[in-house]
């Protein structure tokens, strides 16, 4: 049910067609663009032609089998089996699947992946070049092998134990440990209470090979799987090939029935206290488990309406909580009330709140009071009209973009249909039906739906929080608060409707005084009478998208250290305060039905403005831009609210190993520079309302010092007069500013630090950073990206697969022009503390090897193919042209020019990458950090 709510109604990407249905019990029409079939052996297949992105295809195999089907001696083996699918099949021995696809730029992790859940396992090969018929056949053959022909070689199984053991270690986060304490209570007496997918470490390390083979042959079978293929291909050809390739797979004889896993109902209020010493703050939730819609109910118009009602309920209560958070000292740090999906066959109604230190009682009473207010009096008609208007506007935008729906959206619809019988109907039908239905929905219907969540059965109170230094609510105390609120005198909600105009006065404006064509970008630069530069390019790939970006050099670098906290945080504070005469709540109400926003940012080296709108709301975006410059709103009560919440959230943060690691890295990587400030109580004390307002007004002003970029589906004839009116009305001081270099640099030479922390789960985190100051160039940027790709291949092969030492090595390759030119390569991974030093040596071994010996042609070609494919996919999009224009004005380099990408790649060789590696690694400043448990 949640798939439909989130995907269909909030983002409007499920696709429907046909005529308007009057009878809510009438079945929904099938999507005529979706080909669905079933082979004699039981395999279901879904096919659809789609061209977003063009010349690409996505291949999925969806299994109705997951961790819940495991026996106790198989705990974790559904997930283990997912890994083994990449370690040898009938037609692709060893790592053959990965090595074959990477030659076409289809990368492991990025395009080749899988996941295991409690009820399903899903494999994907995404963004496959669809112009190569042989490659499409190869992908089908891979799905064929995944279906039935895994080799499950004993040596490969044993080799993978280490990888999964390290994944087990990496996933043991504080949140995971809290969940491990919560699930046995929330899902008491059900299989969900004892299967967490990653499984038992003892089983992972010690199971017999035959045990996983038994699970494979019992549950990886044709009647429990679906093939889903979406992309830019001929559907008739694809259907014919699926029948030819998959029909020979044998069906399992006398298959074991696939059970539905029930959650027992209960009248008693369950209670769970889940604590962990690494958790930073407390939360309280009351979860009510609700029965999900039955399969036969889902394919009806009533199901669509019910989910609309749920969406409206969630949106309206969320807005009310947002208003409560505007208080100077709100009773909690954050809260949420609403319906959501839970697990297959069940939904939930949740009331949850994040509490201040030792403030669980206050937080729970406050959030329950808001829930009770709605339960008693319902929502108001004005609240409902706002969410209905916003929903209709979103639908209209989605309708205009209906030809730009990405492959993944169709795949998720197919998956939901196969696994949970969610409807698949064409968007054309859905749009026509729902746009007529929404105006008829009454507030009484919405209030009745809200009441369905407030039942007295199947409820669980869950308290999460630190194990030390905080007093937690007992079951009796929580129940007493619930009883108190149920009897309290609570006033109805008063909806203050926002009225007026964003800008009421006449604006002087200023005309374009100079115009310059930018033929390489099919763009134009306008210089306004107030000195502002505006660069415009029409880009209509995304039909409902107009983007705005602007920058001016300076940023927080222009302020001394004592002002940094205020300078760094002022843009976030200002965003929460609204603009002009409207606070954030009133502004949101005033913008009902508008798709427009505009925010500012103050970074280290520049101040920026970013916005977006639909073409029809472009003027509204420019009005917001004008107000951000000329009429920012500073509200001391809102300032205190944010600062008080920030202070409360700090409690127990100092005990978090993650925060200690972050702080340590910041200090060490900057060589303990005075401008490296740690986020703590003293930092929050230095946030000053008067300073913030002064800094904002100093930074977000002077249009002559900004360059504004506008890219989107709107005509120049529309843009130009509005730019003249609003950007042309911005005041200018004609100052010429730039950033200031404070000399923040990493330490010279090699810095080695071993820091011991009090980890709950024994784990080492290894971080190795190489930084070299060298000339900035497009060629060096491409060499750095290729070097990263080659090292990623090697670390995956050697440290992850061969050694089983880590779940994965994360590599970050970057370059910087300002405030100084440098290139950086950072490698980081988690592992067994006992193996940290040895595995770290393999990081250095590969950097040494690639300096001494060029990479293989195969490695080089794999990485370059992926880069070419990625660029080809990104070029049509509006965001590509926004980035290209910005880079050109900032650096003088046109990244869209083939001479700055394709022509360089055509000439590069493995020897060039070897030479670049020497420039980067030899003589680099190295920071070598190891965080390990205390001995």
């Amino acid at each position: 049910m949640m798939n439909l709510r989130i995907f269909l109604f909030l983002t409007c990407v499920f696709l429907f067609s046909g005529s308007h249905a009057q009878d809510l019990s009438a079945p929904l029409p099938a999507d005529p663009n979706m080909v669905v079939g079933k082979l004699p052996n039981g395999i279901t297949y879904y096919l659809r032609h789609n061209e977003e992105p063009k010349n690409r295809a996505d291949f999925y195999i969806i299994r109705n089998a997951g961790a819940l089907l495991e026996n106790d001696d198989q705990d974790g083996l559904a997930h283990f089996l997912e890994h083994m699918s990449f370690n040898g099949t009938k037609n692709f021995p060893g790592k053959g699947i990965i090595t074959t696809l990477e030659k076409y730029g289809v990368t492991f992790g990025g395009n080749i992946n899988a996941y295991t859940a409690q009820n399903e396992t899903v494999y994907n090969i995404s963004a496959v070049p669809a112009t190569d018929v042989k490659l499409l056949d190869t992908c089908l053959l891979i799905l064929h092998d995944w279906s039935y022909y895994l080799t499950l070689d004993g040596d490969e199984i044993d080799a993978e134990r280490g990888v999964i053991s390290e994944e087990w270690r990496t996933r043991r986060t504080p949140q995971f440990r809290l969940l491990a304490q919560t699930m046995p209570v929330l899902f008491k007496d059900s299989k969900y209470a004892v299967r967490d997918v990653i499984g038992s470490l003892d089983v992972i390390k010690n199971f017999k090979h035959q045990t996983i083979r038994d699970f494979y042959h019992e549950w990886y079978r044709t009647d429990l799987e679906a093939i889903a293929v979406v992309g830019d291909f001929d559907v008739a050809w694809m259907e014919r090939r699926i029948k030819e390739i998959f029909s020979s797979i044998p069906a399992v004889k006398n298959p074991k029935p696939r059970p539905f896993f029930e959650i027992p109902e209960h009248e008693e209020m369950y209670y769970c206290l889940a604590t962990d010493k690494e958790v930073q703050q407390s939360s309280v939730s009351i979860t009510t488990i609700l029965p999900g819609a039955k399969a036969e109910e889902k394919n009806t118009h009533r199901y669509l309406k019910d989910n609309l009602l749920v969406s409206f309920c969630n949106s309206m209560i969320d807005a009310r909580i947002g208003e409560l958070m505007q208080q100077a000292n709100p009773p909690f740090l954050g809260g949420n009330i609403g319906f959501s999906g839970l697990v297959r066959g069940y939904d939930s109604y949740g009331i949850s709140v994040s509490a201040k230190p030792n403030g669980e009682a206050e937080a729970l009473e406050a959030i329950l009071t808001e829930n009770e207010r709605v339960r008693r009096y319902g929502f108001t008609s004005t609240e409902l009209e706002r969410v209905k208007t916003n929903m209709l506007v979103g639908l209209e935008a989605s309708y205009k973009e209906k030809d730009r729906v990405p492959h993944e959206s169709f795949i998720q619809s197919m998956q939901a249909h196969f696994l949970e019988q969610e409807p698949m109907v064409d968007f054309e039908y859905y749009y026509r039906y729902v746009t007529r239905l929404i105006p008829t929905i009454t507030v009484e219907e919405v209030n009745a739906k809200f009441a369905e969540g407030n039942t007295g059965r199947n409820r669980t109170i869950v308290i999460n929080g630190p194990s030390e230094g905080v007093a937690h609510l007992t079951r009796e105390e929580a129940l007493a608060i619930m009883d108190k609120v149920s009897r309290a005198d609570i006033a109805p909600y008063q909806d203050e409707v926002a009225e007026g105009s964003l800008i009421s006065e006449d604006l002087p404006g200023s005309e374009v005084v100079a115009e310059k064509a930018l033929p390489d970008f099919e763009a134009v630069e306008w210089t306004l009478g107030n000195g502002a530069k505006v660069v415009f390019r029409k880009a209509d790939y995304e039909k409902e998208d107009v983007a705005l970006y602007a920058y001016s050099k300076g940023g927080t670098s222009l302020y001394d250290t004592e002002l940094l906290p205020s300078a760094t945080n002022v843009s976030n504070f200002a965003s929460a305060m609204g603009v002009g005469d409207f606070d954030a709540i009133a502004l949101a109400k005033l913008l009902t039905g508008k798709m427009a926003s505009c925010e500012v940012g103050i970074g280290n080296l520049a101040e920026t403005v970013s916005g977006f709108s639909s073409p029809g709301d472009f003027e509204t975006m420019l009005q917001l831009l004008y107000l951000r410059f000329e009429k920012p709103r500073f509200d001391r009560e809102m300032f205190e609210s944010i600062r008080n919440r920030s202070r409360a959230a700090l409690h127990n943060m100092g005990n978090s190993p993650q925060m200690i690691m972050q702080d340590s890295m910041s200090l060490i990587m900057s060589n303990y520079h005075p401008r490296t400030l740690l986020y703590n109580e003293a930092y929050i004390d230095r946030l000053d309302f008067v300073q913030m307002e002064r800094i904002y007004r100093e930074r977000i002003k002077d249009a002559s010092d900004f360059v504004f970029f506008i890219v989107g589906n709107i005509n120049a004839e529309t843009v130009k007069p509005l730019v003249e009116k609003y950007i042309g009305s911005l005041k200018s001081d004609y100052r010429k500013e730039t950033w200031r270099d404070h000399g923040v640099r990493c330490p010279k030479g090699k810095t080695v630090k071993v820091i011991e922390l009090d980890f709950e789960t024994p784990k080492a985190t290894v971080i190795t950073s190489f930084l070299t100051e060298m000339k900035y160039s497009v060629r060096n940027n491409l060499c750095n990206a290729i070097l990263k790709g080659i090292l990623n291949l090697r670390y995956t092969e050697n440290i992850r697969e061969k050694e089983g030492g880590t779940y994965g090595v994360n590599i970050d390759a970057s370059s910087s022009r300002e405030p100084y030119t440098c290139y950086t390569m950072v490698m980081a991974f988690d592992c067994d503390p006992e193996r940290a030093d040895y595995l770290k040596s393999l990081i250095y071994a590969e950097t040494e090897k690639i300096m001494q010996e060029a990479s293989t042609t195969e490695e080089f070609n794999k990485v370059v193919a992926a880069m070419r494919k990625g660029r080809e996919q990104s070029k049509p999009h509006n965001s590509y042209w926004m980035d290209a224009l910005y880079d050109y004005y900032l650096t003088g380099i046109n990244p869209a020019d083939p001479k700055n990408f394709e022509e360089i790649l055509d000439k590069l060789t493995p020897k060039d990458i070897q030479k670049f590696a020497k420039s980067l690694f030899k003589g680099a400043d190295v920071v070598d950090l190891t965080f390990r448990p205390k001995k």
Side-chain angles (χ1 to χ4, degrees):
M1 188 169 186
M2 194 54 190
N3 286 324
L4 192 60
R5 286 188 193 134
I6 294 177
F7 227 63
L8 185 62
F9 295 110
L10 301 185
T11 63
C12 302
V13 292
F14 271 49
L15 315 166
F16 297 50
S17 106
S19 60
H20 178 65
Q22 302 295 329
D23 181 7
L24 289 177
S25 64
L28 292 165
D31 182 352
N33 301 305
M34 198 83 73
V35 174
V36 184
K38 180 174 280 193
L39 301 179
N41 58 11
I43 294 177
T44 302
Y45 61 86
Y46 298 85
L47 303 172
R48 183 174 181 126
H49 178 84
N50 189 54
E51 297 184 9
E52 179 55 39
K54 192 169 181 58
N55 297 324
R56 294 289 182 267
D58 287 5
F59 295 78
Y60 278 68
I61 185 166
I62 304 160
R63 298 195 176 282
N64 188 13
L68 294 181
L69 297 173
E70 299 164 341
N71 301 326
D72 288 345
D73 65 340
Q74 297 170 330
D75 188 11
L77 297 196
H79 171 253
F80 202 116
L81 191 56
E82 171 213 315
H83 279 240
M84 292 308 301
S85 297
F86 299 94
N87 288 281
T89 68
K90 176 182 177 181
N91 292 291
F92 301 91
K95 301 295 186 291
I97 290 174
I98 296 170
T99 57
T100 297
L101 293 174
E102 284 181 335
K103 295 174 183 177
Y104 299 92
V106 182
T107 60
F108 180 57
N111 306 133
I112 314 164
N113 218 325
Y115 77 85
T116 304
Q118 289 171 314
N119 266 306
E120 76 261 11
T121 308
V122 179
Y123 300 83
N124 71 282
I125 310 169
S126 302
V128 176
T131 53
D132 188 332
V133 174
K134 291 184 178 178
L135 178 57
L136 299 183
D137 255 351
T138 297
C139 291
L140 289 176
L141 186 60
I142 292 170
L143 297 190
H144 162 273
D145 280 15
W146 277 341
S147 172
Y148 192 76
Y149 299 102
L150 303 187
T151 53
L152 297 179
D153 175 76
D155 290 340
E156 291 283 358
I157 290 172
D158 292 338
E160 198 67 18
R161 294 182 197 268
V163 175
I164 297 180
S165 295
E166 292 309 314
E167 182 178 359
W168 183 95
R169 189 190 311 276
T170 298
R171 290 185 185 277
R172 250 55 189 178
T173 62
Q175 292 70 33
F176 186 95
R177 293 193 293 269
L178 291 179
L179 192 62
Q181 299 172 62
T182 302
M183 288 178 65
V185 180
L186 182 63
F187 299 116
K188 186 178 179 181
D189 297 328
S190 79
K191 197 73 175 285
Y192 291 100
V194 295
R195 290 290 180 265
D196 64 5
V197 180
I198 192 67
S200 160
L201 191 57
D202 180 59
V203 170
I204 291 167
K205 289 184 174 181
N206 300 302
F207 71 87
K208 293 181 172 59
H209 298 162
Q210 190 57 42
T211 306
I212 195 170
R213 292 169 185 154
D214 290 342
F215 183 87
Y216 174 57
H217 292 300
E218 186 167 23
W219 297 115
Y220 270 43
R221 61 193 206 214
T222 54
D223 61 309
L224 296 180
E225 72 184 31
I227 305 300
V229 189
V230 176
D232 192 3
F233 52 76
D234 179 78
V235 171
W237 176 86
M238 186 64 71
E239 184 175 28
R240 184 170 64 254
R241 292 300 292 144
I242 284 178
K243 290 178 179 178
E244 292 168 354
I245 292 172
F246 290 87
S247 292
S248 62
I249 298 173
V252 173
K253 295 180 181 179
N254 301 316
K256 185 176 180 179
R258 202 287 191 197
F260 171 78
F261 294 93
E262 294 187 353
I263 303 171
E265 295 192 1
H266 56 95
E267 298 291 338
E268 173 193 2
M269 175 75 77
Y270 290 167
Y271 170 86
C272 173
L273 173 61
T275 64
D276 190 276
K277 65 182 179 182
E278 295 180 17
V279 172
Q280 298 173 18
Q281 65 185 35
S282 296
S283 65
V284 184
S285 66
I286 302 173
T287 300
T288 303
I289 298 179
L290 305 170
K294 295 180 173 59
E296 60 272 17
E297 299 170 341
K298 291 184 176 182
N299 197 45
T300 66
H301 293 80
R302 188 180 306 281
Y303 185 62
L304 299 186
K305 182 174 182 178
D306 283 346
N307 281 279
L308 277 175
L309 296 175
V310 162
S311 176
F312 292 160
C313 286
N314 290 352
S315 296
M316 288 187 284
I317 192 66
D318 184 62
R320 289 195 184 185
I321 294 171
E323 290 188 26
L324 192 61
M325 298 300 293
Q326 298 287 308
Q327 299 175 7
N329 191 22
F332 45 71
L333 302 180
N336 182 71
I337 300 173
F339 297 89
S340 69
L342 187 62
V343 295
R344 185 179 297 182
Y346 295 93
D347 296 325
S348 70
Y349 180 80
I351 303 171
S352 61
V353 64
S354 298
K356 301 173 185 177
N358 294 308
E360 291 174 5
E362 178 189 24
L364 179 59
E365 182 174 345
I367 198 73
L368 285 174
T369 298
E370 293 312 306
N371 184 78
E372 180 68 13
R373 198 186 313 276
V374 180
R375 194 192 69 79
R376 289 187 196 178
Y377 306 110
F379 296 106
T380 67
S381 58
T382 50
E383 290 176 287
L384 179 58
E385 288 308 309
R386 280 198 297 273
V387 298
K388 286 163 69 172
T389 299
N390 287 333
M391 176 70 79
L392 288 168
V393 169
L395 278 169
E396 186 67 26
S398 295
Y399 185 75
K400 293 177 180 177
E401 295 276 12
K402 65 181 184 297
D403 296 328
R404 291 286 181 261
V405 177
H407 300 337
E408 293 84 356
S409 296
F410 292 108
I411 293 286
Q412 291 187 19
S413 176
M414 296 167 175
Q415 179 176 324
H417 182 268
F418 178 69
L419 295 175
E420 301 195 50
Q421 297 76 54
E422 296 287 342
M424 287 193 308
V425 196
D426 182 68
F427 183 61
E428 190 80 38
Y429 179 85
Y430 170 71
Y431 169 77
R432 292 175 181 171
Y433 175 75
V434 173
T435 51
R436 293 174 62 181
L437 174 65
I438 287 175
T440 70
I441 291 175
T442 67
V443 71
E444 289 78 15
E445 290 177 303
V446 178
N447 291 337
K449 174 57 66 174
F450 185 85
E452 292 178 12
N454 286 267
T455 176
R457 305 178 71 245
N458 304 322
R459 294 185 296 172
T460 303
I461 300 169
V462 177
I463 314 289
N464 287 337
S467 56
E468 302 169 355
V470 175
H472 296 295
L473 288 175
T474 65
R475 181 180 186 277
E476 291 69 26
E477 289 169 337
L479 289 173
I481 293 170
M482 294 173 68
D483 180 63
K484 175 184 176 182
V485 170
S486 70
R487 294 182 288 103
D489 184 14
I490 300 172
Y493 172 76
Q494 299 297 321
D495 185 20
E496 297 180 9
V497 179
E499 295 180 345
S501 302
L502 283 172
I503 300 173
S504 55
E505 71 272 21
D506 292 332
L507 301 182
S510 58
E511 295 182 351
V512 170
V513 297
E515 183 170 313
K516 181 172 71 173
L518 302 170
D520 289 347
F521 298 93
E522 299 179 4
V524 63
E525 176 194 282
W526 297 314
T527 302
L528 300 178
N530 61 354
K533 276 189 169 58
V534 179
V535 181
F536 168 71
R537 184 188 195 276
K538 179 179 172 65
D540 60 0
Y541 192 79
E542 281 84 22
K543 303 297 183 185
E544 282 295 284
D545 178 70
V546 182
L548 165 76
Y549 190 78
Y551 77 91
S552 168
K553 292 186 177 181
T556 62
S557 71
L558 301 182
Y559 296 92
D560 293 336
T561 303
E562 62 269 17
L563 294 177
L564 272 181
S566 293
T568 302
N569 290 277
V570 61
S571 57
N572 291 331
F573 276 69
S575 177
M577 294 179 185
V579 290
D581 298 326
F582 305 98
D583 62 24
I585 297 299
L587 181 63
K589 292 178 179 179
L590 191 68
L591 293 176
T592 296
K594 300 286 187 181
M595 296 184 66
S597 73
C598 185
E599 303 291 346
V600 303
I602 302 178
N604 182 34
L605 303 178
E607 40 274 354
T608 61
V609 182
S610 58
F612 85 92
S613 74
S614 65
D617 293 321
F618 177 69
E619 183 171 8
T620 301
M621 177 176 68
L622 291 186
Q623 290 174 340
L624 293 169
L625 167 68
Y626 174 83
L627 293 173
R628 290 293 182 198
F629 271 80
E630 301 299 332
K631 292 190 175 182
R633 179 183 177 85
F634 283 87
D635 183 325
R636 184 174 286 277
E637 184 176 14
M638 192 62 209
F639 168 81
E640 295 295 342
S641 174
I642 299 173
R643 189 169 66 166
N644 287 337
R645 278 182 277 149
S646 300
R647 195 187 309 280
L650 274 176
H651 187 79
N652 208 51
M653 196 174 285
N655 297 331
S656 165
Q658 291 74 26
M659 181 59 67
I660 297 171
M661 290 167 61
Q662 180 179 314
D663 289 348
S664 300
M665 289 170 58
S666 297
L667 291 169
I668 295 167
M669 298 291 281
S670 67
N671 204 17
Y672 299 90
H673 196 280
R675 291 178 71 85
T676 302
L677 304 179
L678 303 185
Y679 187 75
N680 51 30
E681 191 83 23
Y683 183 96
I684 292 178
D685 287 340
R686 291 167 66 181
L687 297 175
D688 183 90
F689 180 77
V690 175
Q691 288 178 359
M692 280 190 171
E693 182 170 4
R694 175 173 67 83
I695 291 168
Y696 183 99
R697 295 184 185 276
E698 289 174 352
R699 294 295 91 225
I700 309 301
K701 73 170 187 175
D702 191 4
S704 69
D705 200 34
F706 276 83
V707 180
F708 299 84
F709 302 94
I710 298 170
V711 175
N713 186 26
I714 191 169
N715 295 320
E717 294 77 16
T718 302
V719 173
K720 188 175 181 180
L722 292 174
V723 161
E724 290 175 323
K725 179 178 180 179
Y726 294 105
I727 297 181
S729 294
L730 301 179
K731 297 181 181 66
S732 291
D733 294 340
Y734 298 97
R735 61 186 181 181
K736 295 298 178 184
E737 287 188 321
T738 189
W739 42 263
R740 187 188 307 166
D741 184 3
H742 293 274
V744 181
R745 303 288 190 272
C746 76
K748 294 295 182 182
K750 185 171 184 178
T751 301
V752 180
K753 298 276 188 180
V754 178
I755 300 173
E756 294 186 344
L757 298 173
D758 190 13
F759 284 115
E760 185 75 11
T761 299
K763 177 183 72 172
T765 298
V766 177
I767 302 170
T768 309
S769 170
F770 297 84
L771 183 146
T772 298
E773 296 187 30
M774 69 169 83
K775 178 183 177 182
Y776 180 94
S777 71
V778 175
R779 186 178 187 277
N780 281 347
N781 289 346
L782 292 174
C783 288
N784 203 26
I786 295 171
L787 177 60
K788 171 190 172 180
I790 291 170
L791 289 174
N792 185 61
L793 292 174
R794 293 186 177 184
Y795 292 145
T796 298
E797 179 182 354
N798 296 334
I799 300 180
R800 173 187 159 110
E801 299 298 335
K802 182 180 177 181
E803 293 291 339
T806 182
Y807 183 49
V809 177
N810 296 312
I811 308 176
D812 179 53
S814 61
S815 61
S816 175
R817 291 179 72 252
E818 300 171 343
Y820 65 104
T821 59
C822 66
Y823 282 79
T824 306
M825 188 81 71
V826 180
M827 301 81 159
F829 62 92
D830 294 335
C831 67
D832 183 339
E834 300 300 320
R835 303 192 69 197
D837 292 338
Y838 169 67
L839 295 174
K840 186 200 303 182
S841 73
L842 301 183
I843 295 288
Y844 288 104
E846 290 299 343
T847 62
E848 290 293 329
K849 181 179 179 181
I850 204 164
M851 286 192 287
Q852 302 301 322
E853 180 183 341
S855 69
T856 65
T857 302
E858 182 181 16
E859 288 176 313
F860 178 86
N861 288 342
K862 284 180 178 180
V863 175
V864 170
M867 292 171 63
R868 290 185 191 275
K869 183 168 72 73
R871 178 170 169 95
E872 182 184 343
Q873 284 180 213
S874 65
K875 284 186 83 168
H877 294 278
N878 298 4
S879 59
Y880 173 88
W881 294 104
M882 174 64 84
D883 293 342
L885 284 166
Y886 171 74
D887 287 347
Y888 176 69
Y889 273 77
L890 195 65
T891 68
I893 299 167
N894 177 7
D897 192 328
K899 73 180 182 182
N900 291 322
F901 191 86
E902 287 86 358
E903 293 178 16
I904 295 175
L905 286 184
D906 290 342
K907 296 175 182 177
L908 285 176
T909 67
K911 284 286 186 183
D912 294 318
I913 306 307
Q914 179 190 9
K915 183 178 179 180
F916 177 81
K918 288 181 180 178
S919 300
L920 176 60
F921 293 132
K922 191 173 182 179
D925 295 320
V926 180
V927 175
D928 181 319
L929 305 178
T930 303
F931 298 94
R932 61 170 70 244
K934 291 180 180 179
K935 295 180 181 178

